[in-house]
């Protein structure tokens, strides 16, 4: 460690990195000077250190709310074994009425009325399209006030619904775990229809390359080897973005599905290579959203949008979740965990929730307080997720369940950047909107 800078090596490069502000420089390995930091790097570091440290501090600890997840129903028409919503709630929970959803959105609109940017409302949780009519009615009514998103298994999605969602610019996430019907439906079974594979693929075809479409795949021990195949399959369907998310083991039912960390890293990175190769060689780009976020964490840390890998995480800080019964909780992962309600939207204010002890508890959990993370130079790239998952395992002040996986992915991201391939990992507009804060040749 020298002046806040740490030097570590991969096979080809020395990486000089400040873990606090993510200043970095890469140079070819020189075995005679493997721990040497050049004067040019030190001079550039001294010039920009204070500015980028302030930016990172503000980015990490700012409490500006920008998105709210609304779970309009507890119920679901599928039975995914790793779902973070407990089975009892999915089977016996309630659904919002049209008037209740309207009340909530009116209340949220008042909170955001003086904000410069539109807030984002994401309909999420179990299966929101079970109450499709009230959701679509809300999107029509509030389209000029909010940006909307929707997460669905697509079983209830009709062709005319796709036209509606595209018309209003709704960001859509469709759940699909594998390129094989059998493999996917084993992970995402649904009574009466077997699973969601046919419906998801049909909807993807209807969206026909829609820029606002994302596919969300949950990585388990059962589908981990299919990740490269899934990327190739989705590329043929003109899908612009896929998220490959390691299974959260917040609920006991999901713990038996945890993949081997080394195996997951191997096939995740094979999927990354597949996406990079396809994006480089064809006109149709496909990105892996969470890998893109890792690239951004290195080349433009404050441009990140996925808030799970930031410390403290975005839960109760940049976003929170409103359940079907109106409870305001830091994140959907806390459904089923006691003691994390910041109030009820039907009786309490958004301000009260943001100032509540449960929300502050999540905002107070950051990597410098975690023994295993405090000395890790990569701590502010991975962010040690997820507090709900770790709390359910007994102690949220532990390193991430998939710590070694994140380290492998981050090291690979540095390799991709060193090879000049980072542009193929990001959306075109993502690269075009970035400007250099500093540059070392």
């Amino acid at each position: 460690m020298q002046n806040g800078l740490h030097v570590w090596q991969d096979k080809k490069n020395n990486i000089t990195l400040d873990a606090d502000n993510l200043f970095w420089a890469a140079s070819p390995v020189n075995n005679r000077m493997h721990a040497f930091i050049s004067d040019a790097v030190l001079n550039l570091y001294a010039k920009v250190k204070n500015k980028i440290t302030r930016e990172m501090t503000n980015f990490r600890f700012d409490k500006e709310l920008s998105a709210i997840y609304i779970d309009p129903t507890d119920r679901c028409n599928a039975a995914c074994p790793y779902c973070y919503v407990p089975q009892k709630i999915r089977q016996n929970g309630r659904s919002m009425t049209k008037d209740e959803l309207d009340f909530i959105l009116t209340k949220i609109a008042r909170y955001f009325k003086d904000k410069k940017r539109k807030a984002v409302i994401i309909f999420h949780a179990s299966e929101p399209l079970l109450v499709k009519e009230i959701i679509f009615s809300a999107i029509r009514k509030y389209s000029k006030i909010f940006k909307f998103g929707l997460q669905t298994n697509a079983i209830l999605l009709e062709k005319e619904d796709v036209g509606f969602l595209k018309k209003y610019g709704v960001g859509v996430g469709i759940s699909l775990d594998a390129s094989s019907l059998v493999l996917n439906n084993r992970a995402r079974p649904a009574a009466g229809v077997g699973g969601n594979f046919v419906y998801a693929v049909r909807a993807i075809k209807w969206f026909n390359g829609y820029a606002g479409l994302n596919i969300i795949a949950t990585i388990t021990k059962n589908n981990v080897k299919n990740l490269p195949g899934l990327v190739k399959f989705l590329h043929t369907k003109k899908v612009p973005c896929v998220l490959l998310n390691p299974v959260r083991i917040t609920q006991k039912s999901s713990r038996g599905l945890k993949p081997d960390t080394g195996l997951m890293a191997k096939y995740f990175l094979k999927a990354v290579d597949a996406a990079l190769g396809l994006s480089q060689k064809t006109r149709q780009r496909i990105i892996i959203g969470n890998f893109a976020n890792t690239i951004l964490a290195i080349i433009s840390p404050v441009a990140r949008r996925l808030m799970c890998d930031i410390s403290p995480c975005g839960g109760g800080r940049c976003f929170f979740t409103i359940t079907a019964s109106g409870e305001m909780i830091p994140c959907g992962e806390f459904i089923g965990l006691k003691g994390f309600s910041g109030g009820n939207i039907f009786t309490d204010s958004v301000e009260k929730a943001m100032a509540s002890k449960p929300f502050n508890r999540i905002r107070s959990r950051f990597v410098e307080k975690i023994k295993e993370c405090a000395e890790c130079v990569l701590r502010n790239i991975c962010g040690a997720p997820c507090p709900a998952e770790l709390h359910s395992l007994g102690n949220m002040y532990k390193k991430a369940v998939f710590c070694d996986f994140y380290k492998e992915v981050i090291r690979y991201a540095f390799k991709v950047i060193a090879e000049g391939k980072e542009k193929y990992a990001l959306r075109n507009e993502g690269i075009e909107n970035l400007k250099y804060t500093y540059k070392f040749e």
Side-chain angles (χ1 to χ4, degrees), residues 93-302:
R94 74 183 300 274
S95 299
M96 290 180 185
T97 66
K98 181 179 179 180
D99 288 343
E100 286 175 332
L101 181 56
D102 186 67
F103 174 88
I104 291 169
L105 290 173
T106 300
K107 196 167 190 176
I108 294 172
R110 285 200 300 267
Y111 176 84
F112 284 106
K113 66 179 180 179
D114 296 323
K115 306 294 182 182
K116 292 181 180 179
R117 293 186 300 175
K118 279 186 178 182
V120 179
I121 303 294
I122 304 104
F123 294 114
H124 209 272
S126 295
E127 178 44 54
L129 290 186
L130 286 169
V131 288
K132 184 194 303 185
E133 293 76 15
I134 72 167
I135 289 175
F136 283 16
S137 176
I139 291 172
R140 287 189 197 95
K141 182 174 180 179
Y142 293 92
S143 61
K144 293 183 179 180
I145 300 174
F146 300 119
K147 292 182 180 179
F148 284 101
L150 170 71
Q151 172 67 28
T152 178
N153 60 30
I155 292 173
L156 297 175
L157 201 63
E158 302 293 341
K159 191 170 185 178
E160 57 267 29
D161 299 335
V162 171
F164 172 85
L165 294 168
K166 291 170 76 171
K167 175 183 176 181
Y168 286 96
V170 177
V172 178
I174 294 178
S175 303
L176 186 70
D177 282 1
S179 58
S180 154
L181 181 149
V182 173
L183 193 57
N184 178 83
N185 288 359
R186 189 183 304 156
R188 294 186 174 275
V193 296
N196 81 315
F197 182 86
V198 170
Y199 302 92
V201 173
R202 182 182 67 177
I204 290 168
K205 182 179 179 181
W206 286 337
F207 275 107
N208 191 30
Y210 176 54
L213 177 67
N214 296 281
I215 301 304
I216 293 89
T218 299
I219 308 173
T220 68
K221 67 180 184 181
N222 296 324
N223 71 341
V224 63
K225 293 183 180 180
N226 184 246
L227 300 181
L230 178 61
V231 167
K232 294 172 185 176
F233 174 75
L234 294 175
H235 182 262
T236 68
K237 306 296 182 184
K238 298 194 286 187
V239 170
C241 179
V242 56
L243 288 165
L244 304 177
N245 296 330
V247 61
R248 292 277 181 238
I249 55 175
T250 309
Q251 297 297 322
K252 290 181 181 180
S253 59
S254 63
R255 292 171 193 171
L257 295 170
K258 181 178 178 290
D260 174 79
T261 301
L263 199 65
M264 182 166 66
K266 176 182 176 179
Y267 284 96
F268 180 91
L269 295 178
K270 282 181 178 289
V272 167
D273 282 342
L276 291 174
L278 290 166
S279 296
Q280 187 173 1
K281 295 173 184 176
T282 70
R283 292 183 178 182
Q284 178 65 37
R285 179 165 295 204
I286 184 169
I287 69 165
I288 296 176
N290 31 350
F291 185 74
N293 218 50
T294 302
I295 292 285
L296 285 174
I298 297 168
I299 67 172
S300 185
V302 301

Side-chain angles (χ1 to χ4, degrees), residues 1-2 4-19 22-31 33-37 294 298 375-379 381 406-418:
M1 194 73 69
Q2 181 177 353
L5 295 172
H6 179 78
V7 181
W8 56 277
Q9 285 184 307
D10 62 19
K11 293 180 180 179
K12 295 184 178 180
N13 297 288
N14 291 315
I15 306 295
T16 302
L17 179 67
D18 184 328
L22 299 184
F23 171 92
W24 67 277
S27 58
V29 168
N30 183 328
N31 290 328
M33 301 186 300
H34 69 275
F36 177 75
I37 304 175
T294 302
I298 297 168
E375 295 301 318
C376 177
V377 73
L378 305 178
R379 62 181 179 265
I381 300 178
Y406 296 132
K407 286 178 179 178
E408 285 299 309
V409 172
I410 293 167
R411 291 189 181 102
Y412 202 76
F414 272 108
K415 176 178 178 292
V416 168
I417 294 166

Side-chain angles (χ1 to χ4, degrees), residues 241-375:
C241 179
V242 56
L243 288 165
L244 304 177
N245 296 330
V247 61
R248 292 277 181 238
I249 55 175
T250 309
Q251 297 297 322
K252 290 181 181 180
S253 59
S254 63
R255 292 171 193 171
L257 295 170
K258 181 178 178 290
D260 174 79
T261 301
L263 199 65
M264 182 166 66
K266 176 182 176 179
Y267 284 96
F268 180 91
L269 295 178
K270 282 181 178 289
V272 167
D273 282 342
L276 291 174
L278 290 166
S279 296
Q280 187 173 1
K281 295 173 184 176
T282 70
R283 292 183 178 182
Q284 178 65 37
R285 179 165 295 204
I286 184 169
I287 69 165
I288 296 176
N290 31 350
F291 185 74
N293 218 50
T294 302
I295 292 285
L296 285 174
I298 297 168
I299 67 172
S300 185
V302 301
R304 284 178 279 182
R305 288 294 176 263
L306 300 178
M307 294 295 177
C308 290
D309 58 357
I310 295 163
S311 172
C313 76
R317 184 171 69 87
C318 304
F319 63 84
F320 68 82
T321 290
I322 299 174
T323 70
S325 59
E327 294 301 316
M328 293 180 280
I329 56 177
C331 169
E333 288 287 339
F334 288 93
I335 294 174
L337 300 181
K338 295 181 179 179
F340 288 97
S341 174
N344 191 292
I345 191 68
F346 294 120
T347 55
D348 301 310
S349 66
V350 172
E351 290 86 350
K352 179 180 177 180
M354 290 296 289
S356 67
K357 287 183 179 180
F359 281 37
N360 188 59
R361 183 179 177 187
I362 303 307
R363 292 195 298 265
S364 298
R365 187 251 187 201
F366 44 91
V367 285
E368 288 83 358
K369 292 183 177 181
I370 301 170
K371 183 179 179 181
E372 296 93 335
C373 302
E375 295 301 318

